[in-house]
Amino acid sequence: MARRRGQSGWIELRKGIYYARFWIDVPGRSTRSCPRVRICPATGTGSLNASERSRRLKQILAEHGANSEATARATEAANLGISFEEQAKAWLQSVQSRKRNPVKLRTAEAWKSHLKYINAKIGPMQLIDVNNRSMREFVATMASDQKDGEPRFSPKSIENYLAVIKSVVASVLNDKGEPIYPVKWSSEYMDLPVIEEQNTPSWTGSEIETIISRADQDRVLYALLAGSGLRIGECCALGVEDVRDTVLRVRHSAWEGALCSPKTANGVREVDLCSSLAEMLREHIGKRTAGLVFPSERGTPLRKSNLLRRSLHPILLEMGAQPCGFHAFRRFRVAHLRKQLVPEILLRVWIGHSTEGITDKYALEGIKRDTLFRTTMAQKAGLGFDLRPIAPNSIPAKFLNRWSGREDLNLRPPGPEPGALPG
């Protein structure tokens, strides 16, 4: 529905009564109606002169929203008749295929999981009815939902689910690129639960040493996670050619056994290693000149879920610690670098976080090019844990036997093998 330029209406005399006439959009109808609104009698008590009738006409137009963009949009929204589930499907396809900032596959899968629950609750609801009032009921339902006697959703999860709903509603645009459902959301009215301090586990240096010492064939991977701050997907996607002396080039991330781009544009970076960790990594790689640094037995990237289930979580349970994800290694590295007073801009470069400040932009290129400074800082900062009890861990023998006789040990491109089990 195109935006209209406005109207002045007109005054009609009918059977001794002056009426205001104007066009207005009506929900449920494709054409506008022309109502007749009483102004005053033509003569006698209550009659108005011409200028007064003209002013009253303008008041009536404003009262009925005849020239209001909000009225036009509300009518257009009602006439579309789109259900939440229909628009959610179109939105999910759009965010993955758009040219500007398409979402990662892992993010799309998370949103798809959210929508499975959301659609079961409000899928058939018309988008025009998805507002603060209906979401207040939805939030109350999520907050009361339980699993095994415990709350099924944390306050943060409820906020994440609601963020998906907001994005779906905001994704419906008219031919001018303006939102058809411009809802002004109110967290207070929806009674969103307060997000208190979240569980962000990290470890001490001695705990890192214990985890690594019990990790068997994954000990070099864990040492690299703790000593570099790389995300688990970035570590699993690391290629032999990405390791250059004490510098790692992060170019890819791994998800579900396949390679993809890093989480953000800042994820493409170089990370400088302490010399002792770099030496361990070189011994792990050995004579290989290509392929993945940490391949599965099939030569594909390791899967995070398998590593958690088979390795990290059992180790943490043996230690009497609460099972958690690989991000705890990353938190440990950030905390250690801050304790060592590493410049914040260099820390962000190594970790892969945004450097958007004006002063950061001035210094960023100089930091990236000054390899001597970066190497010195990496050596000075150290690891925060002891590598001495960690014996170099080579690639699994089963994998080496499979590739024996190959001079370059090139790994095949990531992808499933017919009939093969997950790595």
Side-chain angles (χ1 to χ4, degrees):
M1 182 179 293
R3 181 171 183 171
R4 299 191 173 95
R5 299 171 62 183
Q7 59 180 311
S8 300
W10 67 94
I11 296 175
E12 177 185 89
L13 178 60
R14 180 184 176 89
K15 296 181 180 180
I17 302 294
Y18 284 110
Y19 293 93
R21 301 298 303 274
F22 53 91
W23 295 102
I24 190 168
D25 297 297
V26 180
R29 291 178 53 179
S30 59
T31 59
R32 294 187 295 171
S33 68
C34 184
R36 182 180 289 111
V37 180
R38 187 178 189 276
I39 297 179
C40 67
T43 59
T45 304
S47 62
L48 303 173
N49 60 36
S51 60
E52 290 174 332
R53 292 196 298 271
S54 180
R55 285 196 298 270
R56 180 56 186 150
L57 172 62
K58 292 179 180 179
Q59 291 174 355
I60 292 173
L61 289 174
E63 290 169 1
H64 288 76
N67 292 325
S68 169
E69 182 69 15
T71 301
R73 288 188 182 181
T75 303
E76 182 178 20
N79 290 345
L80 282 175
I82 302 175
S83 70
F84 178 88
E85 188 170 5
E86 291 172 337
Q87 183 58 28
K89 182 178 180 181
W91 168 77
L92 193 59
Q93 293 174 344
S94 173
V95 295
Q96 294 179 80
S97 60
R98 64 191 179 192
K99 294 181 180 179
R100 186 178 179 85
N101 297 327
V103 300
K104 306 298 180 186
L105 185 57
R106 63 175 72 88
T107 303
E109 288 297 321
W111 287 348
K112 190 180 297 184
S113 174
H114 292 0
L115 286 170
K116 185 176 180 180
Y117 177 88
I118 294 169
N119 286 332
K121 302 296 182 182
I122 65 169
M125 184 181 293
Q126 298 294 298
L127 274 181
I128 193 172
D129 297 324
V130 181
N131 49 37
N132 284 291
R133 177 179 294 179
S134 58
M135 288 304 97
R136 182 184 177 94
E137 298 176 3
F138 176 78
V139 168
T141 299
M142 288 194 73
S144 62
D145 203 347
Q146 291 193 345
K147 185 176 182 179
D148 299 328
E150 297 290 335
R152 181 176 178 181
F153 300 102
S154 67
K156 180 60 177 175
S157 295
I158 294 176
E159 185 178 83
N160 292 341
Y161 276 61
L162 194 61
V164 171
I165 294 174
K166 292 178 181 179
S167 296
V168 172
V169 173
S171 67
V172 187
L173 307 177
N174 61 19
D175 57 0
K176 291 186 177 292
E178 300 166 333
I180 293 177
Y181 304 96
V183 182
K184 186 176 181 180
W185 299 102
S186 172
S187 298
E188 183 175 353
Y189 182 86
M190 290 184 288
D191 198 22
L192 280 177
V194 177
I195 300 176
E196 299 176 349
E197 186 175 350
Q198 293 183 266
N199 182 30
T200 54
S202 184
W203 298 307
T204 64
S206 60
E207 288 172 328
I208 292 288
E209 292 172 11
T210 302
I211 291 171
I212 295 173
S213 66
R214 298 184 182 184
D216 297 328
Q217 67 180 28
D218 297 316
R219 59 182 59 187
V220 178
L221 171 63
Y222 291 177
L224 185 61
L225 286 169
S228 67
L230 264 63
R231 299 177 176 92
I232 181 61
E234 295 168 346
C235 255
C236 293
L238 202 62
V240 171
E241 62 276 12
D242 295 325
V243 182
R244 296 183 175 180
D245 196 19
T246 61
V247 178
L248 300 180
R249 292 189 308 162
V250 181
R251 300 178 298 161
H252 301 99
S253 183
W255 188 79
E256 292 298 309
L259 295 184
C260 56
S261 59
K263 183 178 180 180
T264 65
N266 295 298
V268 179
R269 64 195 188 278
E270 290 186 349
V271 180
D272 301 271
L273 303 179
C274 181
S275 59
S276 57
L277 181 58
E279 178 62 26
M280 172 185 285
L281 192 58
R282 284 194 295 271
E283 292 181 4
H284 171 80
I285 292 172
K287 297 181 180 180
R288 290 184 291 145
T289 59
L292 297 171
V293 174
F294 303 105
S296 69
E297 293 178 354
R298 293 166 47 211
T300 55
L302 295 170
R303 293 174 182 258
K304 181 180 73 172
S305 57
N306 287 345
L307 285 169
L308 288 173
R309 177 171 53 85
R310 299 172 183 172
S311 178
L312 184 60
H313 283 177
I315 291 172
L316 293 175
L317 289 173
E318 288 178 6
M319 294 169 56
Q322 183 70 25
C324 61
F326 290 103
H327 220 67
F329 286 110
R330 190 166 163 85
R331 296 189 193 98
F332 167 82
R333 182 60 178 171
V334 171
H336 173 71
L337 293 177
R338 287 222 167 99
K339 291 176 185 176
Q340 301 305 310
L341 304 181
V342 172
E344 185 69 18
I345 186 171
L346 179 56
L347 185 153
R348 292 183 182 185
V349 169
W350 282 343
I351 297 300
H353 284 170
S354 173
T355 52
E356 293 298 332
I358 296 297
T359 52
D360 288 342
K361 291 181 179 179
Y362 290 161
L364 188 57
E365 285 306 314
I367 290 287
K368 288 183 175 180
R369 293 182 180 181
D370 195 344
T371 55
L372 178 60
F373 169 75
R374 287 168 26 209
T375 302
T376 302
M377 288 304 302
Q379 189 65 24
K380 181 180 178 181
L383 297 173
F385 58 92
D386 196 350
L387 275 183
R388 283 179 298 177
I390 308 171
N393 180 49
S394 60
I395 210 166
K398 182 176 180 180
F399 180 78
L400 285 176
N401 292 337
R402 179 176 179 178
W403 295 99
S404 60
R406 296 284 298 276
E407 293 182 359
D408 57 359
L409 288 180
N410 282 323
L411 303 179
R412 67 176 183 81
E417 288 183 351
L421 296 175

